[in-house]
Amino acid sequence: MPKKTTYYQLNQYAPEDDFLREGFNADNAILDAALHSKAEAEDLAGLLTVGVYAGDGREERVISLGFRPRAVVTAAHTGAMYHSGSNWGGLIVDGHPMRNQSGTPVLTITEDGFAIHHANYGALNINTIEYYYVAVR
């Protein structure tokens, strides 16, 4: 009977051990699952981009991420997304912008990141305020 490795319990055959194909197949299945799990974890790590932008008071502004996100969540430095009738952040999904009460898009996804429009309709780019975002690739 072979010894087993510490972490994955793979067979450790000694010269005098009999070995069967089933042992090799079981080891390969364990390795396959472990490698697949690692690859998925690495893929997930690259899915999210987290950042901060400082408000500059401009009416229109693009935050460049270097990729077209599938979704973006923004919030003011306090974590607020809505305060005193103003939008301080929110969720946008590609093709579904955040709109103000009159239906005008105020936060949209672009080819390179996301854009703030008509900042005076919300509080998405107030001078000296920090805003946080999470973007999904």
Side-chain angles (χ1 to χ4, degrees), residues 51-55 61 63 74 88 107 114 116 124-125 129-133:
V52 176
Y53 70 91
R61 181 165 183 197
I63 306 300
T74 62
W88 289 62
L107 196 60
F114 61 98
I116 300 158
L124 298 166
N125 196 32
I129 299 287
E130 281 191 335
Y131 297 86
Y132 309 136
Y133 63 85

Side-chain angles (χ1 to χ4, degrees), residues 80-97:
M81 292 184 180
Y82 190 80
H83 180 69
S84 299
S86 295
N87 293 314
W88 289 62
L91 167 69
I92 56 174
V93 177
D94 198 3
H96 302 280

Side-chain angles (χ1 to χ4, degrees), residues 30-74:
I30 291 168
L31 291 171
D32 184 66
L35 290 170
H36 179 70
S37 177
K38 181 172 175 35
E40 281 186 330
E42 288 174 359
D43 286 346
L44 289 176
L47 282 178
L48 299 178
T49 297
V50 177
V52 176
Y53 70 91
D56 62 11
R58 287 185 292 157
E59 187 70 9
E60 303 282 329
R61 181 165 183 197
V62 174
I63 306 300
S64 178
L65 303 174
F67 63 92
R68 183 183 185 96
R70 294 176 15 187
V72 177
V73 176
T74 62

Side-chain angles (χ1 to χ4, degrees), residues 108-127:
T108 60
I109 287 178
T110 68
E111 287 300 319
D112 193 43
F114 61 98
I116 300 158
H117 309 281
H118 309 289
N120 62 346
Y121 285 122
L124 298 166
N125 196 32
I126 295 174
N127 196 27

